[in-house]
Amino acid sequence: MLRLIPCLLCIGSLANAGEPPAPFKRNPSQHAHNATVLLSNDTKITGEARTTIGKPWRVFHRADSKYVDVDFSDVVSVDVAVEKEVVERIWRWKESASDEKVYTDKYYIWHKYVTTLTLRDGTVLKGDLQARVYVNDGQKKHSLDLHKRCKGKI
């Protein structure tokens, strides 16, 4: 059972598109996991989880300062947590070719995430991951985006 715990802030969409994503068009294989996705607002989605077939997840492993390719079938759990949250003020350049910033009265929140992957062999990778997971709960096909960072609404 794969356990995904993405932060709600990093979820791209929980949409039910008319045409199912490519991972659901193929027959079940070892590529799919039975999964429980727990969002930060306590919403729980249980079903079959897949990613893009034949494409490994590329994780920047911070401890080793290098990228590691991980096969989705080897992943036991994924935990996504907010590492840093910053309120940024919107600005623009004063004039073309100017180095002077003009700040507006609008703000947005900027989040940086850290992802912890636990693999089947017990290895734990902590770092940056940008990936999409498709979860079919039998009624809806959910598309979940896992981000390294994202910018909130103004």
Side-chain angles (χ1 to χ4, degrees), residues 25-52:
K25 293 181 181 178
R26 301 208 170 116
N27 293 330
S29 67
Q30 72 276 12
H31 180 74
H33 284 292
N34 287 326
T36 298
V37 179
L38 177 62
L39 303 178
S40 61
N41 68 352
D42 291 333
T43 301
K44 190 182 272 191
I45 304 168
T46 301
E48 183 181 78
R50 296 174 180 259
T51 62
T52 305

Side-chain angles (χ1 to χ4, degrees), residues 81-143:
V82 176
E83 179 180 41
K84 184 177 179 182
E85 182 177 74
V86 178
V87 176
E88 293 282 338
R89 193 169 172 191
I90 296 176
W91 60 270
R92 61 178 177 77
W93 297 115
K94 185 173 182 177
E95 296 175 357
S96 181
S98 170
D99 61 353
E100 186 178 345
K101 294 179 182 179
V102 177
Y103 289 91
T104 68
D105 59 346
K106 296 181 182 177
Y107 296 87
Y108 63 91
I109 296 177
W110 183 87
H111 292 102
K112 183 171 180 175
Y113 303 102
V114 61
T115 303
T116 305
L117 295 176
T118 305
L119 305 181
R120 187 177 300 167
D121 64 3
T123 305
V124 175
L125 299 173
K126 192 170 189 174
D128 301 318
L129 171 67
Q130 185 97 11
R132 176 166 288 165
V133 179
Y134 304 99
V135 182
N136 183 352
D137 67 5
Q139 297 174 1
K140 276 185 163 181
K141 293 175 175 74
H142 305 277
S143 176

